[in-house]
Amino acid sequence: MGTLVKKWLGTKSINNEKRLPRSKRSYQKILFIAFWVIFLSTFWFMFQAYQRTAFVNDKVNALTSEIETETKGQKKDSLINQDAAVTFAKNFAVQYLNIEPDEKKRAEREKNLTGMLATNLPVQDLEGTGELKAKRIVRSIEPYKIKEINSNEALITFLVKYDVAIDKKPTESVTQLLATKIGTDQTNFNIVEQPYLLPAPREAKLEKVENSLEEKSTVSNATLTNEVNDFLTQFFTSYSKSNLEEMSYLMEKPESLGGFADFRGLEKTNIYKAKQKGHYTVKTLVLFRDKKTNIDMRYSFTLDISKKDNKFYVNKLNHTFN
C-alpha cells in the first residue's frame, strides 16, 4: 500500500514538473495572438496599398489617355493642319515668285505680299528689288513637304518651277524648293519668317521590288504545277470580269477589276511551299488588256492558296512581289 502511494505521489510530481506555469502559458498565448495580429495587419495594409496603387494607376492611365485623345483632337482640328494652310502658302508662293521689272507691277506685288506677311515682317526684310532687270514667271508649284512645328506654325515646302527672262536672252527654266513658314491665330494665316529657296532634290535611283522568295526552291511536282497554273488562269479570268459576290467563291477577301480589262496570260509564275501545311505561295506577273485603250498592263501578285473541297482557294492576295 505504501509502495502504491509512493508511486502515485511520484507520478503526480512528474506531471506537475511537465506542466508549465500558468504565467508562462499565458505569455506564449499572447505571443501567438500578437504574431497573427501583426501578420494579418501587414497583409491587410499590403492589400490596401495594392488596391490604392491600382486605383491611382487606373486614374493616371485614364487621364493620360484623355490628354492624348484631346491632344490628337486639337491637332486634327488645328487650322495649321488643314488644306487651307497649304492653299494660303501656295498663294503666297505665287505672289512671291512672280516678279518683273515694271515698277507699277512691283508696287502691286509688294502690296499683295504685305497683306500676307506678319505685322512686324516688312517686305524689305525679305528682299530688295531696286536693281531688278529680270522677269520671273511661275510655271508650277506643288506641295513637297509639310512639317507641323506646333498647333500654330508649320513649315510648308513646295517644288517650284519658274522661267527667268532677261532682256533678249534665252529664257531659263529653273526648278527649286521653296520653304515657307506660316502661322495662324486659328482664324487667318500669315507668313511669319523669311521664305527661302533650296536646290531641287536629285532624282531617286531606286531598284524595283524583287521576288522575296527568289532564292528558295520552287515546287518540282509537275502535276501540281499544272493544276496551280490552270487554277490561276481560271482565277484571273474571273478576277478581270466577275463581281465581288462571284469572287467570294474563289477567295477569302473578294476583289476584282470589274470588267474594265481582259485577262491575257501569266508571266514569271513561281510556286513555293508555304509554312502552313497544304498551302502554297504563288508569285506571278499577270497580263491584262485595258478594253478602252487596248493597252497591255502587267500587275504583280503574291497569293496564298490551298485546296478547299478538292479545289484551290485564294486565302490571301497581295499586289506585290515582295
Side-chain angles (χ1 to χ4, degrees):
M1 184 71 179
T3 305
L4 290 173
V5 170
K6 287 180 180 180
K7 287 183 178 181
W8 181 78
L9 289 172
T11 301
K12 187 174 181 181
S13 176
I14 292 171
N15 289 338
N16 287 336
E17 289 176 3
K18 289 182 178 179
R19 184 179 298 170
L20 293 173
R22 182 182 300 273
S23 61
K24 196 169 185 179
R25 290 202 308 272
S26 299
Y27 178 70
Q28 287 184 337
K29 188 174 182 181
I30 290 171
L31 286 177
F32 178 79
I33 294 171
F35 168 78
W36 280 105
V37 168
I38 293 170
F39 176 79
L40 292 174
S41 298
T42 303
F43 178 80
W44 170 255
F45 285 122
M46 288 175 63
F47 176 75
Q48 288 295 315
Y50 172 79
Q51 288 287 88
R52 288 174 183 173
T53 302
F55 176 77
V56 171
N57 286 340
D58 287 343
K59 286 291 184 183
V60 170
N61 291 337
L63 182 60
T64 302
S65 177
E66 185 178 342
I67 291 173
E68 287 178 354
T69 303
E70 186 175 345
T71 302
K72 287 179 181 178
Q74 288 175 350
K75 285 186 175 182
K76 186 177 180 182
D77 295 337
S78 173
L79 197 59
I80 209 73
N81 266 327
Q82 297 179 16
D83 292 341
V86 178
T87 301
F88 171 83
K90 187 173 182 179
N91 288 338
F92 169 80
V94 172
Q95 294 290 335
Y96 176 73
L97 290 173
N98 277 326
I99 188 170
E100 51 187 286
D102 183 83
E103 289 187 10
K104 288 185 178 180
K105 291 185 177 179
R106 273 192 290 164
E108 185 181 349
R109 169 181 175 271
E110 183 174 321
K111 181 180 178 182
N112 291 335
L113 288 177
T114 300
M116 306 178 84
L117 298 176
T119 54
N120 57 345
L121 181 61
V123 175
Q124 290 72 23
D125 280 2
L126 271 60
E127 62 188 11
T129 60
E131 299 180 3
L132 180 68
K133 296 180 180 180
K135 184 176 182 179
R136 192 167 59 190
I137 306 166
V138 174
R139 290 194 292 117
S140 68
I141 298 179
E142 299 296 335
Y144 180 77
K145 186 177 180 181
I146 302 172
K147 180 182 178 182
E148 180 185 352
I149 299 171
N150 53 54
S151 61
N152 296 318
E153 290 183 342
L155 184 65
I156 302 177
T157 305
F158 296 98
L159 181 66
V160 299
K161 295 180 180 180
Y162 58 86
D163 293 333
V164 177
I166 304 176
D167 296 330
K168 296 180 180 180
K169 294 181 181 180
T171 300
E172 181 185 357
S173 294
V174 181
T175 301
Q176 289 180 302
L177 293 176
L178 173 65
T180 58
K181 190 173 184 180
I182 72 168
T184 181
D185 59 3
Q186 301 306 320
T187 303
N188 297 302
F189 298 100
N190 279 137
I191 299 296
V192 295
E193 201 166 2
Q194 286 83 352
Y196 54 92
L197 289 162
L198 295 170
R202 291 182 296 176
E203 292 184 2
K205 299 293 181 183
L206 306 176
E207 295 184 358
K208 69 173 184 176
V209 174
E210 297 288 356
N211 180 357
S212 59
L213 302 178
E214 189 68 45
E215 297 180 359
K216 293 192 175 183
S217 57
T218 57
V219 171
S220 57
N221 187 318
T223 302
L224 177 63
T225 300
N226 290 333
E227 287 180 0
V228 171
N229 281 317
D230 288 343
F231 167 72
L232 292 175
T233 299
Q234 173 204 347
F235 174 80
F236 283 112
T237 299
S238 299
Y239 182 87
S240 67
K241 62 183 180 181
S242 298
N243 57 40
L244 296 182
E245 184 179 356
E246 291 168 331
M247 291 304 297
S248 66
Y249 294 101
L250 297 172
M251 62 191 307
E252 182 69 25
K253 293 183 178 179
E255 65 173 81
S256 80
L257 298 183
F260 78 82
D262 290 325
F263 169 71
R264 302 289 293 174
L266 302 170
E267 299 178 359
K268 298 182 180 180
T269 302
N270 292 301
I271 308 166
Y272 307 88
K273 282 188 177 179
K275 291 181 180 179
Q276 191 171 348
K277 188 176 180 181
H279 285 237
Y280 299 92
T281 299
V282 178
K283 292 184 178 291
T284 183
L285 199 64
V286 184
L287 183 65
F288 297 101
R289 176 167 291 177
D290 185 283
K291 290 182 178 179
K292 292 183 178 179
T293 63
N294 231 32
I295 294 174
D296 287 338
M297 306 170 295
R298 288 176 172 82
Y299 293 177
S300 55
F301 292 95
T302 295
L303 304 92
D304 176 275
I305 66 172
S306 62
K307 277 196 172 181
K308 186 178 181 180
D309 298 328
N310 210 33
K311 293 180 181 179
F312 281 107
Y313 184 78
V314 176
N315 304 296
K316 190 176 181 180
L317 179 147
N318 289 323
H319 293 260
T320 179
F321 261 168
N322 199 2

